[in-house]
Amino acid sequence: MSLNQLPASLQVLVQDGTLDRVIQEALKPKLGFRSIAERVPFSAGIGETIIKTRDGLRPIKTDPIANAGADDLNSGLTASNGNVEQYNLTLNRYGDLAKTELTMDSVAISSTFLKNARNMAIQSASSVDALARNALFSAYGAANTEVKTTLGSTGDTITVLNIAGFEAGQAVKVGDSVYTVLTVAPTTPEATSGEGTIKFATNVSVANGTAGRPVVGETAGLILRPGNKASASALVATDFLSASAILAAKAKMEANAVPGPYVMFVHPEAMPGLYADPLFQAFHNGSNASDEWKDGEIERALGVRFVKTNMAIKNGSVYRSILVGADTLVEGVYTNNAYANQDQYRGAHYITFENGVAQIVRAPLDVLGGWISQAWVYIGGFAAPVDKLATSANIPTANGRSLKRAIILEHS
C-alpha cells in the first residue's frame, strides 16, 4: 500500500511488506527412466547380489537329418543343450532425512512439516529415477570411450577418458585395430570409471593411439553419432539430432529382434535441431496445425514415443539421448519386504509405502517433544540384462553385441 498520503508520524506505525505465509513451489524434474523398468521379485538381502538367469534361443537348423541306422536310437539327431545367460542385480539402500521443530511450526512462513513431506516425496521419486537413468547409461555407455593422450611412440598402454566397462581378456578395438586387454588402471585410486590407462597384450600403433581415436569393446553397447563420427570429441556444433539417426537406431534394434514400444529420452535443448531437420518435417507435413506441433510437444513420431526430460544427460556440449525397447531395465525392489515384519515393534514410527519407497515419520523423542523426524528410504536396484546369446545363429540379422535393447545417440 502507498504511505505517501499519511503523516510521517503515522507511517512508522504501518508495516510495509507483509510476509506471505505461503511458500511458492520449486521447479520439479520430469521423470521417466524408471517407467521402462520391469519389476522383479528380489529374495536376497540389502547389499547382496543375486544372479538372474534368462533363456537363450537355440540356433537355427537348416541341415537335413542324417540317415540313421537301425540301431541309432536318436534317429540321426545329435542332442544339444539349450543356452542360458545371466546378469547380476544388486540392492542397496538410499534415502534422506529432515527434522522439524513442531513447536515453532505455527510461526514459520508455511507448515514446515507439510513442505518437507512434499519435497521429500519429489526428492525420493527423482532419486530413484536417477538410479534407473544411471544404470541404463552405465551399461550401454560402458567400454566405449576414446584415447585421451596421443602416444609418443608405439606402446602397449594408452590413456583413455573413461575406463568403465573395460576388463582383462576383453577384445577392444582401438582406432582401426583390435587388441586384447591385459590390465585396466584408474587414474584415481579405487575408481571404477573416469580417466585411466589400459594395457594391451600387444603394442598399439601411434596412428591408433592418437587422441580422439575410439576405444570400443567389441561386445559393448552401440553409440551412434551424426556422420558416423568415431568419438564424441569429433562432433561439431551442427551435428544435431536427426530423424535419419533415430530411424537408423530403430532399424538396428529391429534387426536384433528387440520388441517395442520404442521410447526415446531426449534433452529438451536438443529438440530444436530435430524440429529443423527436413526429413523430420517431411514426416509431419500437414500436421503443423496440431496442438502438439504448436506447443512443441511430440508424443509419437517415426514409430517412437519421445520423452523430453530434464533428467537427461549432457556432457559438456554433447547431448546423450537414448532409444530403448522393451525390457531394457530390470528393477528389484525390497523396500516393502524390509519393513514387512516391523508392525510389532514399530512404536512411534508411522510408515507409508508409495511406488516402492517408504515415507517414515517418527514422533518426537526429545524432552520437550518438539523435534519430529521425516525420512524416506528406497531399498532396490537396477540392472540392464544382456542378450549376447541372441546371435546370427538364431536371429540372422542380429549383431554380436551383448547389450542390444538400447542405443545411445550422441549429438550437439
Side-chain angles (χ1 to χ4, degrees):
M1 62 179 292
S2 174
L3 304 179
N4 293 336
Q5 306 303 317
L6 295 177
S9 59
L10 295 180
Q11 290 187 24
V12 297
L13 301 179
V14 180
Q15 178 182 345
D16 187 16
T18 302
L19 182 64
D20 190 342
R21 290 174 58 85
V22 177
I23 297 177
Q24 303 295 315
E25 286 198 17
L27 296 175
K28 300 176 184 177
K30 186 174 182 180
L31 313 179
F33 287 99
R34 188 188 185 190
S35 65
I36 65 170
E38 175 194 3
R39 295 192 181 183
V40 298
F42 193 89
S43 56
I46 301 170
E48 296 183 11
T49 297
I50 194 168
I51 299 174
K52 294 286 189 178
T53 302
R54 172 184 282 178
D55 259 336
L57 296 177
R58 299 174 72 90
I60 295 172
K61 292 289 187 179
T62 57
D63 296 327
I65 298 175
N67 293 327
D71 58 347
D72 185 356
L73 299 181
N74 290 326
S75 302
L77 296 171
T78 301
S80 63
N81 295 319
N83 293 320
V84 295
E85 52 190 345
Q86 297 177 321
Y87 62 94
N88 295 336
L89 181 59
T90 303
L91 266 64
N92 286 298
R93 185 163 48 183
Y94 308 88
D96 203 1
L97 168 69
K99 290 192 173 183
T100 304
E101 189 177 7
L102 291 182
T103 57
M104 300 297 292
D105 203 37
S106 61
V107 297
I109 295 174
S110 180
S111 172
T112 309
F113 175 82
L114 294 179
K115 174 180 67 68
N116 285 341
R118 180 176 64 249
N119 286 340
M120 293 186 80
I122 296 172
Q123 179 195 27
S124 61
S126 303
S127 300
V128 178
D129 203 62
L131 291 173
R133 176 202 62 194
N134 294 347
L136 183 62
F137 278 94
S138 294
Y140 282 88
N144 199 320
T145 186
E146 57 188 85
V147 178
K148 181 184 180 184
T149 306
T150 301
L151 289 175
S153 59
T154 299
D156 61 5
T157 304
I158 61 172
T159 301
V160 298
L161 293 178
N162 196 338
I163 61 169
F166 294 101
E167 57 187 21
Q170 186 179 30
V172 174
K173 188 174 183 180
V174 183
D176 300 317
S177 304
V178 177
Y179 305 88
T180 302
V181 176
L182 284 183
T183 58
V184 180
T187 299
T188 303
E190 308 302 325
T192 57
S193 63
E195 182 185 324
T197 58
I198 303 177
K199 183 177 182 179
F200 297 101
T202 54
N203 286 339
V204 178
S205 67
V206 174
N208 288 330
T210 299
R213 294 286 271 165
V215 182
V216 183
E218 286 202 309
T219 59
L222 183 61
I223 297 180
L224 298 181
R225 304 177 185 90
N228 292 320
K229 299 288 177 64
S231 61
S233 62
L235 295 174
V236 297
T238 55
D239 285 332
F240 301 126
L241 179 64
S242 66
S244 59
I246 297 169
L247 290 172
K250 181 168 169 277
K252 290 182 181 297
M253 292 175 67
E254 290 172 331
N256 281 317
V258 176
Y262 300 105
V263 181
M264 186 166 186
F265 296 96
V266 59
H267 196 295
E269 293 177 357
M271 292 304 293
L274 182 60
Y275 282 121
D277 178 29
L279 179 58
F280 182 81
Q281 292 175 350
F283 274 96
H284 285 271
N285 278 342
S287 63
N288 58 351
S290 68
D291 291 337
E292 291 78 11
W293 183 268
K294 290 177 181 177
D295 297 334
E297 294 289 342
I298 301 178
E299 288 300 324
R300 294 188 182 276
L302 313 175
V304 174
R305 182 169 68 88
F306 287 79
V307 177
K308 292 189 291 185
T309 172
N310 45 28
M311 297 287 286
I313 291 179
K314 181 182 180 184
N315 294 336
S317 61
V318 177
Y319 297 99
R320 306 191 87 198
S321 301
I322 189 165
L323 179 68
V324 304
D327 301 327
T328 306
L329 274 181
V330 170
E331 177 185 7
V333 182
Y334 193 69
T335 310
N336 293 54
N337 291 340
Y339 290 94
N341 300 319
Q342 293 202 9
D343 287 335
Q344 54 187 336
Y345 54 89
R346 191 173 289 175
H349 290 77
Y350 176 71
I351 304 176
T352 59
F353 299 97
E354 181 64 33
N355 205 18
V357 178
Q359 301 287 345
I360 304 167
V361 179
R362 190 196 69 191
L365 297 180
D366 60 301
V367 174
L368 298 179
W371 287 98
I372 190 169
S373 297
Q374 297 165 265
W376 66 267
V377 64
Y378 167 78
I379 305 172
F382 295 85
V386 295
D387 290 284
K388 57 186 176 183
L389 294 181
T391 67
S392 57
N394 42 54
I395 301 174
T397 55
N399 61 34
R401 298 179 183 276
S402 297
L403 292 157
K404 298 179 171 70
R405 294 177 184 257
I407 294 176
I408 296 174
L409 290 88
E410 289 186 338
H411 50 90
S412 298

